[in-house]
Amino acid sequence: MPKTKAKVTDDSSPELMIVAKGLTKTYGDFVAVDGINFEVKKGEAFGLLGPNGAGKSTTMKMIASTSQRSGGELTILGKDPNQHGPEIRAHLGVVPQQDNLDRELKVWENLMTYGRFFGLKSAWLKTKIDELLEFAQLEDKRNVKTEELSGGMKRRLTIARGLVNEPEILMLDEPTTGLDPQARHILWDRLFRLKEVGVTLVITTHYMDEAEQLCDRLVVMDKGKIMAEGSPAELIKTYSSKEVLEVRFGSDNNKTMAKQLKGIGDRLEILPDRILVYTEDGEAALKKILAAGMHPITSLVRRSSLEDVFLRLTGRTLVD
Amino acid sequence: MSTIHKNWQGAAKLIDPTTPMRWGAFYVAEFRIRGMLKWAAAIVAFGLGNPVMYLLSIGVGIGAMVNNSQGSHGIDGVPYLTFLAPALLATAAIQGAMDEVTFPTIEGFVWTKMFYSINNTAISSKQIVDGVMLSAMARCVLQVMLYELILVAFGALPLASLPILTLASLLAGWGFAAVMLSVTVFIKDDDGFFAIVGRFILTPMFMFSGTYFPLAALPIWLQWIGWVSPVWHATDLGRALSYGHKVEPWLLVVHVVYLAAIGVVGMATAYPQFKKRLAE
């Protein structure tokens, strides 16, 4: 692909790690990924955001060079995964959605055997394992069989395992599912620091806070298509208002009250349990509602989030 | 800043993809053997205990009755123990190799899904197949040698026949393991599979393969089980190599070709199926 190559060697633009053009994956009649386009630059944290079944994991598998595309073009680290799968995979780190560790091997043995798959020497791996255990806060679990670890520990070990070859691109499929809030924040911090050493991150998530914290840029996916692309701030600015006022009138009343709310705020979103009022000034909107004689059971003013972007784009909430 | 960030070199510098692309099968075997070593004591105890048990119960116990009624060289011109030994060896080789391809394959695809994470590295699906087979053959060699040790100690195998018998046993183990590998790759999540295969395929295969008595002693309508059974081909071959059991030269060729052929067909089926399943 001469076009891409010209871009890569161009000094003014950063190195492109992943280029997808019209990328498609079908299973029989079912179109899992429907002609998507995106580029990921070196050192970027790129997010795929969307509900279950949006095509995120399928896209990840194609980038991971284990699942062949049905159509379109895909270039990873300058190579076509259909032709150079093993070479590309040698430089990737993959953290699958489900922790697939060996249950009978000890924690350190899981890291050791995984490192061996990249042809790394045992002696080098011994020091690497110390670093990885520190990274995953599992130093004191070194000699424990993985089946005895808690869910959060397994998750951290799987992530550490994905770093054993010091990947150029680290792919994380729902990285912090099952982690407690504190562990999530520590992990985010450590992943963020990987970017400083030049690692490119590709992350799928359905957690808004995770996407906002981690991703420099993201695409919102739904039904195999990309609905929008940009930084979290850009997306919020483009597709939502500055603030959101959430009011509840009780499940049965929300629909009828929504009619009376017309004209307040820029836009309304009626959910089964609450009404969202999109506005530049949430407090002012609430005052108007109260002045009009309406009395919501609860009210909350918050900043717009990616959740609102998603709702706007798809008409659905992210976590169904 | 933690040490991982400080010492970071990056895969571009650190990893030469040609190394795993060349040696990947051995890395997979290394991984499998590491797992097997967790059961090393059981593998050795089974490897030594089983032949001792068979030799004492069937070889010595039933052998005494057989020798009483048929004379001390009444079966195929040799003592019963000598007749039985090559069959036990063939059975052990096949069983040992089979165990190390079936369970790890279900584990790799279903229970732990480790095959998928191996495939996320530079390792290809073909290397996973080869690595699993290599480790199964390592187990097979160990099993065969432990059996030979016991069988020689009981005077049931001539020492000089060991090298060629070992090779023949490995061929049989590889052939049947390849078939089982190509079958196991299709299993989605059914734990009951082994019970069915065990009861309806393996048990008859071991019972009707001329293990404890010559195949010709069975009515002709049961003998076909032996003809399709790798256990019979391996047993008959083993008897020829061990004590010079009389076999037509063409049948000897059939034994070797049959065992090799099921191996080739098994591997040829396993490779594309592993690839397909890993891409799912």
Side-chain angles (χ1 to χ4, degrees):
Chain A
M1 270 182 274
K3 248 188 184 168
T4 321
K5 221 169 184 185
K7 253 187 178 170
V8 172
T9 48
D10 182 358
D11 286 345
S12 63
S13 73
E15 196 179 337
L16 288 175
M17 307 300 272
I18 305 169
V19 181
K21 284 177 190 158
L23 183 61
T24 304
K25 180 76 186 184
T26 53
Y27 297 99
D29 291 338
F30 176 68
V31 184
V33 175
D34 194 357
I36 60 173
N37 303 297
F38 62 87
E39 289 179 353
V40 182
K41 296 177 200 74
K42 188 174 170 62
E44 197 177 23
F46 180 77
L48 297 162
L49 187 66
N52 292 331
K56 293 173 298 176
S57 290
T58 308
T59 305
M60 290 290 263
K61 279 181 197 158
M62 287 191 281
I63 300 173
S65 310
T66 52
S67 174
Q68 296 218 338
R69 63 185 180 270
S70 310
E73 287 173 32
L74 183 61
T75 310
I76 298 145
L77 302 171
K79 298 187 184 94
D80 179 347
N82 282 7
Q83 312 295 328
H84 304 283
E87 285 163 72
I88 296 169
R89 295 200 303 267
H91 291 176
L92 300 182
V94 179
V95 179
Q97 199 167 344
Q98 191 191 0
D99 298 319
N100 46 10
L101 299 157
D102 189 283
R103 286 180 295 197
E104 279 158 17
L105 296 182
K106 292 170 181 170
V107 166
W108 76 269
E109 287 175 311
N110 263 281
L111 296 171
M112 174 63 86
T113 51
Y114 207 72
R116 295 287 294 139
F117 293 142
F118 293 97
L120 291 163
K121 297 255 186 310
S122 305
W124 185 87
L125 281 165
K126 279 206 175 106
T127 17
K128 188 70 193 176
I129 287 167
D130 292 337
E131 291 177 16
L132 291 169
L133 292 176
E134 185 202 347
F135 180 88
Q137 300 170 284
L138 289 171
E139 291 106 319
D140 53 340
K141 299 288 174 190
R142 169 187 290 271
N143 291 315
V144 172
K145 278 188 186 179
T146 54
E147 64 184 355
E148 289 162 30
L149 297 179
S150 72
M153 289 173 182
K154 280 183 190 156
R155 198 72 196 132
R156 271 143 49 199
L157 179 59
T158 308
I159 293 169
R161 190 183 66 173
L163 291 172
V164 73
N165 62 327
E166 304 192 354
E168 295 189 71
I169 304 173
L170 178 64
M171 309 188 45
L172 301 136
D173 202 349
E174 305 284 348
T176 61
T177 304
L179 292 187
D180 60 59
Q182 199 197 353
R184 293 177 80 197
H185 281 279
I186 292 170
L187 186 70
W188 288 343
D189 171 59
R190 301 201 164 190
L191 291 174
F192 208 79
R193 285 195 204 175
L194 285 175
K195 290 202 312 171
E196 291 165 14
V197 294
V199 179
T200 306
L201 303 177
V202 180
I203 302 152
T204 77
T205 184
H206 57 251
Y207 292 125
M208 297 307 100
D209 51 345
E210 185 158 275
E212 289 188 35
Q213 290 262 352
L214 269 182
C215 299
D216 300 315
R217 201 162 54 84
L218 49 89
V219 291
V220 178
M221 285 187 81
D222 191 36
K223 293 172 184 155
K225 289 201 164 82
I226 290 178
M227 312 295 289
E229 180 183 341
S231 70
E234 279 167 10
L235 286 170
I236 291 166
K237 203 172 168 188
T238 312
Y239 294 100
S240 193
S241 55
K242 194 174 156 208
E243 290 188 342
V244 185
L245 167 66
E246 295 193 5
V247 281
R248 291 168 199 257
F249 293 97
S251 308
D252 300 331
N253 303 326
N254 282 338
K255 258 205 170 133
T256 46
M257 293 308 287
K259 281 177 194 146
Q260 299 185 46
L261 288 174
K262 268 198 180 136
I264 298 176
D266 308 332
R267 197 167 56 84
L268 291 180
E269 197 75 60
I270 301 129
L271 301 179
D273 62 333
R274 61 197 194 274
I275 300 170
L276 307 180
V277 182
Y278 290 95
T279 172
E280 289 306 299
D281 187 343
E283 290 296 342
L286 182 57
K287 270 183 193 153
K288 271 190 206 168
I289 290 172
L290 294 173
M294 290 177 274
H295 297 284
I297 302 165
T298 64
S299 63
L300 165 77
V301 176
R302 60 170 175 81
R303 297 172 70 89
S304 262
S305 74
L306 287 170
E307 179 84 45
D308 301 299
V309 173
F310 188 80
L311 194 60
R312 173 76 185 275
L313 288 169
T314 68
R316 290 184 292 133
T317 51
L318 256 166
V319 188
D320 296 320
Chain B
M1 195 148 188
S2 62
T3 42
I4 194 165
H5 301 91
K6 244 183 303 185
N7 297 338
W8 194 273
Q9 306 171 55
K13 225 172 118 190
L14 184 68
I15 310 285
D16 174 8
T18 56
T19 313
M21 284 164 76
R22 188 171 303 141
W23 301 107
F26 292 95
Y27 300 151
V28 176
E30 182 185 321
F31 159 75
R32 279 295 315 138
I33 288 168
R34 209 182 264 275
M36 271 185 229
L37 287 177
K38 306 276 167 192
W39 305 95
I43 288 173
V44 172
F46 176 79
L48 287 173
N50 237 29
V52 170
M53 224 158 58
Y54 272 105
L55 282 175
L56 289 180
S57 64
I58 294 176
V60 178
I62 295 185
M65 289 171 62
V66 173
N67 292 347
N68 272 344
S69 69
Q70 308 280 320
S72 65
H73 289 72
I75 291 237
D76 209 15
V78 290
Y80 186 68
L81 209 56
T82 310
F83 171 80
L84 180 67
L88 290 184
L89 194 61
T91 307
I94 286 172
Q95 186 83 51
M98 187 187 81
D99 283 354
E100 293 305 336
V101 298
T102 47
F103 287 102
T105 300
I106 295 210
E107 183 168 53
F109 279 120
V110 182
W111 295 333
T112 64
K113 297 188 186 291
M114 258 307 281
F115 283 175
Y116 294 96
S117 45
I118 298 174
N119 194 224
N120 277 332
T121 70
I123 309 281
S124 69
S125 59
K126 183 175 182 296
Q127 288 173 323
I128 296 178
V129 177
D130 289 340
V132 169
M133 186 51 101
L134 266 174
S135 57
M137 292 326 287
R139 161 81 189 274
C140 185
V141 171
L142 178 72
Q143 183 102 322
V144 164
M145 296 206 326
L146 290 174
Y147 260 72
E148 286 174 344
L149 189 76
I150 300 293
L151 293 169
V152 167
F154 273 73
L157 280 183
L159 207 54
S161 68
L162 291 192
I164 188 77
L165 269 180
T166 307
L167 282 179
S169 305
L170 282 177
L171 175 67
W174 173 74
F176 193 65
V179 170
M180 289 310 289
L181 199 56
S182 70
V183 173
T184 318
V185 65
F186 287 98
I187 293 167
K188 293 299 173 197
D189 60 356
D190 184 13
D191 293 7
F193 168 75
F194 290 117
I196 292 167
V197 167
R199 278 170 204 151
F200 295 104
I201 296 174
L202 298 181
T203 305
M205 203 174 85
F206 290 123
M207 299 304 288
F208 297 97
S209 291
T211 309
Y212 306 112
F213 46 81
L215 190 63
L218 285 175
I220 192 81
W221 54 273
L222 275 176
Q223 286 188 26
W224 66 270
I225 302 178
W227 300 335
V228 298
S229 161
V231 177
W232 176 69
H233 289 281
T235 297
D236 209 50
L237 179 63
R239 284 181 179 140
L241 299 173
S242 156
Y243 61 83
H245 158 65
K246 292 257 178 318
V247 181
E248 297 284 341
W250 65 266
L251 187 55
L252 219 50
V253 174
V254 166
H255 290 329
V256 174
V257 168
Y258 183 84
L259 294 172
I262 59 169
V264 169
V265 171
M267 294 306 274
T269 314
Y271 286 135
Q273 284 307 323
F274 263 68
K275 186 172 186 174
K276 198 173 155 207
R277 189 153 185 195
L278 283 166
E280 274 168 12

